[in-house]
Amino acid sequence: MASSYLIRLGRIKGNSGILTALQHNKRALQAEHGAKANIDTSKTSLNYCLIGDIPPKEIANLARAKMALAGIYNPRINGVMAVEVVFSLPINRHRQDTRSFFVECMEWVSSNLSGELLSFDVHLDESAPHAHAIILPLVEGKMQGNKLIGNRGNLMRLINLFHKDVACRYGLSRSNHKKTSHSDKRHFESLVLMALKHDSVLKSKIWPCVRDAIHNDPLPYAQILNVDSCKACKKAKKTFVEIMISRGKGKANEYRNAI
């Protein structure tokens, strides 16, 4: 994963979802600044904003005002209030000037995703340089967050388009997830969760969504958190009982029934 990048699209739900996401992106949540957090507060001054350089509450109010102008006063409880796009570089890119890359990421979002780009914040105070784009999916007077993200086919189309338009010109490669076994993914997942055990994201309202995303694809989160990929993929030796009750190993079913 040394030269691989990350691009992920996520749904922000709930009445306070946009504000909570913006508070994280603008580093306005004091709980994230503790000694056990992943944020290096000595580097937070290096963060910068390309769009929406105003307080989180003002942006959230602006989003609500735009929805009201479209006649949307009481959105569905489970409706998608915003779409968040995360772009992340490898951890070794901290030594390079990454601004031009993130500027192109911002321009790519504006050109290829419908809705209004509310904010684009770049973080240089965590393990990997990364950026968060938050989009109000108000299209033709309707909230169309699910349609904007679409199905897996649409996600792959966007990822392929971003790779062609931006990533490949910066010498970045795709994460080759297909070569990672199911057991390795589960081990990555456990290491990511261990790395987050003292992180304030566990107390966030969006944690259930983050937890599901980690389970489905833990590798990008392992990259951001600088999880040791060699350690993560290292197979633990099975015990005698585990070998005997595993599927496809001789008389496994008989032994399983016996215990």
Side-chain angles (χ1 to χ4, degrees), residues 20 59 78 82 86 117 125 227 236 257:
T20 301
I59 299 176
N78 199 38
V86 177
L117 181 57
D125 58 358
V227 167
N257 292 334

Side-chain angles (χ1 to χ4, degrees), residues 204-215:
S204 170
K205 292 181 180 179
I206 65 171
W207 170 243
C209 297
V210 175
R211 179 66 183 86
D212 288 345
I214 292 171
H215 175 75

Side-chain angles (χ1 to χ4, degrees), residues 167-221:
C168 66
R169 296 191 297 100
Y170 285 85
L172 297 167
S173 61
R174 305 173 192 239
S175 296
N176 195 348
H177 295 185
K178 292 184 178 179
K179 292 185 179 180
T180 305
S181 68
H182 177 77
S183 60
D184 283 344
K185 280 190 175 183
R186 297 290 69 83
H187 198 49
F188 264 118
E189 179 184 3
S190 66
L191 290 177
V192 168
L193 294 177
M194 286 178 61
L196 291 174
K197 66 181 180 179
H198 297 300
D199 196 286
S200 59
V201 71
L202 274 71
K203 299 179 181 179
S204 170
K205 292 181 180 179
I206 65 171
W207 170 243
C209 297
V210 175
R211 179 66 183 86
D212 288 345
I214 292 171
H215 175 75
N216 292 332
D217 190 1
L219 298 183
Y221 299 90

Side-chain angles (χ1 to χ4, degrees), residues 21-37:
L22 287 167
Q23 287 174 330
H24 165 76
N25 296 346
K26 304 290 185 185
R27 295 300 189 244
L29 295 173
Q30 291 301 317
E32 295 183 332
H33 298 174
K36 295 182 179 180

